[in-house]
Amino acid sequence: MTERHQIRQAIRHTRRQLTQAEQTSAAHQLVQQVANTQHLAQAKAVALYLANDGELDPLPLINWYWAQGCQVCLPVLHPFCPGHLLFLRFQPDTPMQVNILGILEPKLDIRLIVPKPQLDIIYTPLVAFDAQGNRLGMGGGFYDRTLSHTANLGPQPVGLAHDCQQVTALPIASWDVPLPELLTPTQHFRWR
Ligand SMILES: Nc1ncnc2c1ncn2[C@@H]1O[C@H](COP(=O)(O)OP(=O)(O)OP(=O)(O)O)[C@@H](O)[C@H]1O
Ligand SMILES: [Mg+2]
């Protein structure tokens, strides 16, 4: 087993142990963090995700952004470009389906595709992060590919994680895209 695999297993186990009450409270703390951070609160178009595997739940944040009149998008697996994501506009009545990874996503409808440059922020799920802003995901490379051309241009990535997902230092690969910014329910990191 590689070190990356071991970290993924351990942190995924830890976050799945959070109780429903802890998850609910964390999700609402996240909304407060965003509401109190000007550049995040003022976004006009953001990508979020639906929680899976004990991830910090962005649903209250999605509702909050809708109430602000902000466009919310969700990632959809690209139908013929394996390993890549599309971002589709998400509204309360958007038809949804379960994708091959078992995750709920909007049904692909080309009229709902929002090109990446139109997004202000891509809130990025992750399994583990370290004190330098390095990020370890679930292992598909989806967000590394998505974020590989965004440095200084276009949407700003903002990692979302529970506090228990922080590790001292991650073993990093050449393709891993570090995060410039990350929110937990209690902390706001800005690295670069
Ligand atoms: N920009 C890229 N172009 C091509 N392949 C990539 C790119 N980024 C990552 N990959 C490939 O994706 C695979 C998984 O990468 P990695 O283990 O870093 O995933 P991850 O960061 O945990 O997942 P995710 O980004 O989906 O959360 C690796 O085999 C890597 O070669
Ligand atoms: Mg990676």
Side-chain angles (χ1 to χ4, degrees):
M1 262 206 305
T2 67
E3 195 184 351
R4 283 161 77 93
H5 183 72
Q6 285 175 356
I7 295 169
R8 282 192 183 102
Q9 296 272 92
I11 304 280
R12 289 181 61 188
H13 178 77
T14 302
R15 75 181 179 185
R16 284 195 300 257
Q17 302 306 305
L18 294 168
T19 65
Q20 189 52 57
E22 288 168 328
Q23 286 284 1
T24 301
S25 146
H28 286 98
Q29 283 178 280
L30 174 65
V31 176
Q32 287 313 310
Q33 295 260 58
V34 170
N36 293 331
T37 306
Q38 198 175 26
H39 72 283
L40 303 179
Q42 288 178 346
K44 294 290 168 241
V46 301
L48 275 153
Y49 59 89
L50 297 181
N52 180 45
D53 192 55
E55 287 168 339
L56 180 55
D57 183 2
L59 209 48
L61 183 58
I62 290 174
N63 279 301
W64 184 85
Y65 269 125
W66 278 338
Q68 310 301 306
C70 175
Q71 184 173 82
V72 175
C73 297
L74 290 179
V76 170
L77 299 180
H78 199 292
F80 47 78
C81 214
H84 288 259
L85 299 173
L86 291 170
F87 291 93
L88 258 69
R89 181 164 198 176
F90 177 52
Q91 292 175 302
D93 59 353
T94 301
M96 304 293 284
Q97 66 182 16
V98 177
N99 68 24
I100 52 163
L101 300 178
I103 298 170
L104 207 58
E105 64 176 27
K107 269 184 113 154
L108 187 53
D109 176 340
I110 52 167
R111 295 167 301 180
L112 301 182
I113 295 173
V114 176
K116 216 167 48 173
Q118 288 179 20
L119 295 168
D120 298 316
I121 296 165
I122 298 180
Y123 286 102
T124 307
L126 56 105
V127 174
F129 69 97
D130 69 16
Q132 277 71 52
N134 294 307
R135 168 186 177 278
L136 189 68
M138 293 278 271
F142 292 100
Y143 279 90
D144 284 322
R145 290 184 189 85
T146 297
L147 302 177
S148 64
H149 304 295
T150 54
N152 304 318
L153 288 166
Q156 291 303 297
V158 177
L160 297 183
H162 292 288
D163 290 284
C164 64
Q165 291 173 242
Q166 183 169 3
V167 301
T168 308
L170 281 174
I172 282 312
S174 57
W175 59 81
D176 285 322
V177 178
L179 293 164
E181 185 167 359
L182 182 146
L183 293 172
T184 72
T186 68
Q187 299 180 86
H188 186 173
F189 298 90
R190 294 191 81 168
W191 288 287
R192 45 186 84 78

